[in-house]
Amino acid sequence: GRHAEALAMIDTVDPVAYQATTVDPGRAAVLHAIKAQILLGMGRRATGQSMMDMALKEMHTQGVAEEEVAPFRKLLQAPAVAQGTAAR
């Protein structure tokens, strides 16, 4: 479906080239967060949550603006993720 299509598309983005197009910090970390968001949307909770945790740490370390980080953080606060239950 659309998630698989989005996942295939995000895997084609070169983080170094993306970073070169903007002065905004942490583009590779943002790409990781987007990929994690897609995985969570596909019901791949364990992988998506782990990737999102790492991406959030990377974004913080690299100085990504809080208003950009916040929507990704909220995804981890969703009940299914917070309780560790998998979407079936």
Side-chain angles (χ1 to χ4, degrees):
R2 303 291 292 174
H3 284 105
E5 197 176 313
L7 190 58
M9 185 179 292
I10 198 80
D11 282 337
T12 68
V13 178
D14 178 355
V16 175
Y18 179 32
Q19 184 64 63
T21 68
T22 181
V23 296
D24 294 333
R27 296 302 92 190
V30 172
L31 287 173
H32 290 143
I34 293 168
K35 185 172 182 176
Q37 179 180 15
I38 295 166
L39 291 169
L40 289 167
M42 295 173 79
R44 294 173 56 185
R45 296 255 177 229
T47 304
Q49 185 171 0
S50 175
M51 185 176 288
M52 186 66 77
D53 284 338
M54 287 188 300
L56 289 170
K57 288 175 187 167
E58 290 173 10
M59 286 190 284
H60 176 74
T61 300
Q62 295 175 12
V64 175
E66 178 57 31
E67 58 268 10
E68 189 173 6
V69 175
F72 294 114
R73 187 176 296 113
K74 285 182 183 178
L75 290 173
L76 289 184
Q77 296 169 350
V81 174
Q83 296 171 6
T85 57
R88 298 177 205 261

